[in-house]
Amino acid sequence: MSRAEKALTVLAVFLAVLVLAGGGAAAALLPDPRAKLACAGLALAGFAAGCAGWGASRAQVRAMARKLEKVLQQAWAGKAPDPAAFTGETITDRLGAQAARLADAVQSEAQRSEAAREQLQATVSDLAHQLRAPVANLALYTDTLAAGGMPPEKQAEFLKVLQGQTEKLEFLMDALVKTGRLETGAIRMQPRLLELAPTLERAAALARPLAAAKGLELAVECPEGLAVCHDPKWTAEAVFNLLDNAVKYTRAGSVRLAAERWELFTRISVQDTGPGFDARHAAQLFGRFYREPAAQSTEGMGLGLYIVRQIAQQQGGYTQARTRPGGAMFSIFLPSGEPGAGERYQN
């Protein structure tokens, strides 16, 4: 090979490496999965061209190109190539395995993007459903009041309804903002080892007027000196949500708030004497906007238990729902040890 040919060969390899590196970097940075594959294809094509310049035979280059083209076509069609098909030690097999792994990663990312899109659509649909009734009521009662000719006592009744619907919207907006901030990590829990009794009493103090209005007994049981790693503000809110839920669905009897230390976790439970729930729906109760079919007639948004789960999980804990004849029990489990212990136990 002449000196000029060697120089051209080195230049070809250099350009191939540049194309491969540039295409690979672009594939990693571009957000669109198909754009990633296009850049990856450009990178592999450039490398194949470089191999041709290095001195590989035309037959070898054609075989390499056909194999890599097949990998990219499969990925483009939504079929993840099998890296196990490239088990040899040749440059073709190594590049093919890398291309197959890249295609598999791109397909996984595309699936995650589709799942996120579906979740967003479901959230928008749920939100529209929750807003439809109060907004329609506000429009109806406002138009009726604007028409005039209504006795003062009827006006007062309509204004009371309008106030109730406005409060419902305010509650929904507050819950949605809180939910979004918890999901995105804008709200950070600050768990620390503290006595649990003051936190439970703080939640119970907010729930007692609601229980008294329905003639329900609210009892709190917490061992003296029980210290648990928790964020007192947000844990109190989660416990209040459980108490509010129990009072809402209990017509007569009592609501019991209790804490019990286990080996790794401490259980905070709220037990009521209400109708309970269908055990088949237990896994769905802590879902966003979920409301059991039997509870549709009771006022609610389906966000309270979801917020409870978010608060528990951000402190390394988890939630649980159980039903039995004569009532239901909802529980929050928080790590009994130092901050971060729950994450280690769950991993």
Side-chain angles (χ1 to χ4, degrees), residues 28-180:
L29 293 174
L30 287 175
D32 181 53
R34 292 187 181 271
K36 286 176 179 287
L37 285 176
C39 287
L42 174 63
L44 293 171
F47 196 82
C51 289
W54 182 257
S57 69
R58 290 183 179 180
Q60 288 175 322
V61 172
R62 281 198 298 269
M64 179 191 303
R66 281 196 297 269
K67 207 167 187 178
L68 296 178
E69 182 184 18
K70 184 178 179 180
V71 170
L72 294 174
Q73 284 178 342
Q74 287 177 332
W76 192 268
K79 301 175 183 178
D82 183 12
F86 303 93
T87 56
E89 293 297 324
T90 65
I91 184 65
T92 304
D93 284 318
R94 291 201 295 272
L95 284 175
Q98 291 294 334
R101 280 194 284 270
L102 173 62
D104 182 63
V106 170
Q107 292 301 320
S108 298
E109 182 179 335
Q111 291 172 359
R112 287 194 296 271
S113 298
E114 179 64 19
R117 186 184 66 81
E118 291 176 355
Q119 183 179 15
L120 178 60
Q121 287 182 338
T123 300
V124 171
S125 176
D126 289 334
L127 179 58
H129 176 73
Q130 293 291 338
L131 289 172
R132 188 176 296 117
V135 170
N137 288 336
L138 284 173
L140 174 63
Y141 283 95
T142 301
D143 290 344
T144 305
L145 284 171
M150 186 179 295
E153 60 274 10
K154 198 67 176 177
Q155 289 184 11
E157 180 183 337
F158 272 43
L159 288 172
K160 186 175 181 180
V161 172
L162 285 173
Q163 181 181 2
Q165 295 300 314
T166 302
E167 290 174 354
K168 184 177 181 179
L169 283 174
E170 289 178 351
F171 174 81
L172 176 60
M173 292 300 104
D174 179 66
L176 286 171
V177 170
K178 195 174 297 178
T179 298

Side-chain angles (χ1 to χ4, degrees), residues 204 206-219 243 247 250 253-255:
L206 295 173
R208 280 198 181 94
L210 304 176
K214 297 185 66 174
L216 302 175
E217 178 189 354
L218 175 56
L243 290 170
V247 170
T250 302
S254 63
V255 174

Side-chain angles (χ1 to χ4, degrees), residues 305-330:
L305 293 180
Y306 178 74
I307 291 175
V308 170
R309 187 182 70 177
Q310 291 292 316
I311 293 173
Q313 289 180 344
Q314 288 205 23
Q315 298 183 85
Y318 62 99
T319 53
Q320 184 184 79
R322 291 184 176 178
T323 187
R324 57 175 177 73
M329 181 169 70
F330 290 82

